[in-house]
Amino acid sequence: MQPLQRRRFLQAAACTVAAPHLGAAMAARDDAYPSRPIRLIVGFPAGGSADQSSRRLAEQLGRQLGQPVIVDNRPGASGNIAAAAAARSAPDGYTLFYGSNATHAMNVSLYPKLDYDPVKDFAPIALEGKVYNVLCVNPAFEARDLKSFLAMARAKPERIAVATPGNATSGHLSLVLLNRAAKVQLAHIPYKGSAPALTDVLGGQVPAIFDNVAGNLAYIRSEKIRPLAVTSRARLPLLPQVPTFEELGLPDCEIAAWGGLWAPSGTPPPVIDRLNQEVNRALQTAAVADRMRELTIEPQGGTPQALADFARSETLRWREVIRAAAIRLD
């Protein structure tokens, strides 16, 4: 090949290699993105606290970005259906995913096979919020506080039952941690959801329940159930009278269900950066933050790397807990 021909060949090859990257960069220009509506896939049914908070965030992001952010609910299989759909979407910034502690930390240890990889298939954007759990008892139950509750549990191993919304839920895993940290053997009674579990505790069929604050708050305020402790590191603004497990001497019982925003892997970095800035900005607005706190969700925010690091640490933590407790889902 002659020198001139070789130079032209190399120039053409370089253009060919650079073309996809150039196209992505052009698509990610601040003045070009977004130019059409954005879809936010949510793996929860409509009406729940996660759905409501993601919708409020989507509305605010739409106002900030100048394009509608449309929520697409795809519940089922602990978020796996929604996660797989999001992972297969084009990495152009027009499909986002509201992932959770289930899809990005726990499911990889709970299911024998997933149709997505929570690390390789997603680019983190920002952590949205955390919701904590609370251990409550029926008011007629003789234990008045956590100390007396655990004393009863030690005196009667496997005799005191605790209801949760189901196997592998955050309530169940909170109970596993409590058993380990306090060296007790509370009996786990899994239900198919929070409502039937709470119904039996209110009726006195089961003495205690471990579930998120959102589902129990109204009953705590009306004194139909008595809270013993919350799983947050600091006391919750909505329940300032309820101590944390940590202040009661059980630091290993901190646990939160959480949600965050991801995009399909390969989404251009300028788009990720823009979305991260807008999510952090949205979480600071009263329209989003106040509504989240009404739903007992504490707004978070932060960098994409912070979300990646947090999800990684949560994955390692729950892998050990799930394997030790031999928890499995099909």
Side-chain angles (χ1 to χ4, degrees):
M1 184 180 293
Q2 298 297 319
L4 179 59
Q5 292 176 315
R6 178 178 176 81
R7 186 163 60 250
R8 288 175 176 173
F9 173 79
L10 292 175
Q11 289 172 342
C15 290
T16 301
V17 172
H21 302 282
L22 179 61
M26 291 296 290
R29 285 172 45 192
D30 287 343
D31 60 351
Y33 175 84
S35 59
R36 63 179 190 271
I38 297 169
R39 178 177 58 149
L40 174 59
I41 298 178
V42 176
F44 298 93
S49 58
D51 172 71
Q52 291 184 54
S53 68
S54 61
R55 284 180 183 276
R56 185 58 61 92
L57 178 61
E59 291 170 4
Q60 182 63 32
L61 286 175
R63 284 190 285 269
Q64 294 173 191
L65 292 167
Q67 291 288 342
V69 179
I70 302 167
V71 173
D72 179 4
N73 294 94
R74 297 197 183 190
S78 299
N80 290 340
I81 294 172
R88 292 191 295 266
S89 299
D92 54 9
Y94 290 96
T95 297
L96 307 179
F97 178 55
Y98 183 90
S100 68
N101 51 294
T103 59
H104 280 75
M106 296 176 177
N107 287 355
V108 69
S109 296
L110 290 170
Y111 288 85
K113 183 180 180 181
L114 296 178
D115 291 331
Y116 66 95
D117 186 306
V119 176
K120 294 179 181 179
D121 290 342
F122 291 93
I125 297 172
L127 183 63
E128 184 242 17
K130 294 181 179 180
V131 59
Y132 295 96
N133 293 333
V134 59
L135 175 65
C136 299
V137 295
N138 182 289
F141 192 62
E142 57 189 283
R144 308 302 300 177
D145 53 27
L146 183 65
K147 182 179 179 180
S148 58
F149 181 80
L150 294 178
M152 291 180 63
R154 292 188 182 99
K156 301 177 180 180
E158 298 285 354
R159 296 286 300 277
I160 298 178
V162 179
T164 76
N167 285 314
T169 60
S170 63
H172 179 196
L173 295 173
S174 293
L175 180 60
V176 170
L177 288 184
L178 178 59
N179 277 334
R180 290 176 52 174
K183 295 180 173 59
V184 296
Q185 297 177 41
L186 294 159
H188 177 221
I189 309 297
Y191 285 76
K192 293 183 178 180
S194 298
L198 186 57
T199 297
D200 276 4
V201 174
L202 292 171
Q205 286 85 2
V206 182
I209 183 171
F210 220 148
D211 197 4
N212 63 63
V213 173
N216 292 275
L217 185 60
Y219 298 94
I220 292 172
R221 287 175 170 170
S222 63
E223 300 183 351
K224 292 181 178 179
I225 53 175
R226 182 168 61 249
L228 301 183
V230 292
T231 62
S232 53
R233 187 175 293 277
R235 292 199 181 196
L236 298 176
L238 290 171
L239 294 173
Q241 80 281 12
V242 182
T244 69
F245 284 97
E246 181 165 340
E247 69 181 90
L248 295 175
L250 298 171
D252 293 334
C253 291
E254 182 189 4
I255 176 175
W258 48 267
L261 261 63
W262 274 264
S265 180
T267 300
V271 170
I272 297 295
D273 292 342
R274 172 78 186 281
L275 289 168
N276 173 263
Q277 293 171 13
E278 299 297 346
V279 169
N280 278 285
R281 178 183 162 198
L283 290 172
Q284 294 175 6
T285 65
V288 175
D290 289 353
R291 180 55 181 153
M292 288 178 66
R293 290 193 173 100
E294 289 173 3
L295 296 165
T296 73
I297 302 170
E298 287 297 311
Q300 299 296 310
T303 66
Q305 188 60 51
L307 174 55
D309 293 343
F310 176 67
R312 185 181 303 110
S313 67
E314 286 279 279
T315 300
L316 294 174
R317 179 193 190 193
W318 294 119
R319 177 185 299 164
E320 190 275 330
V321 172
I322 289 166
R323 289 179 178 176
I327 303 170
R328 197 74 172 170
L329 295 177
D330 297 323

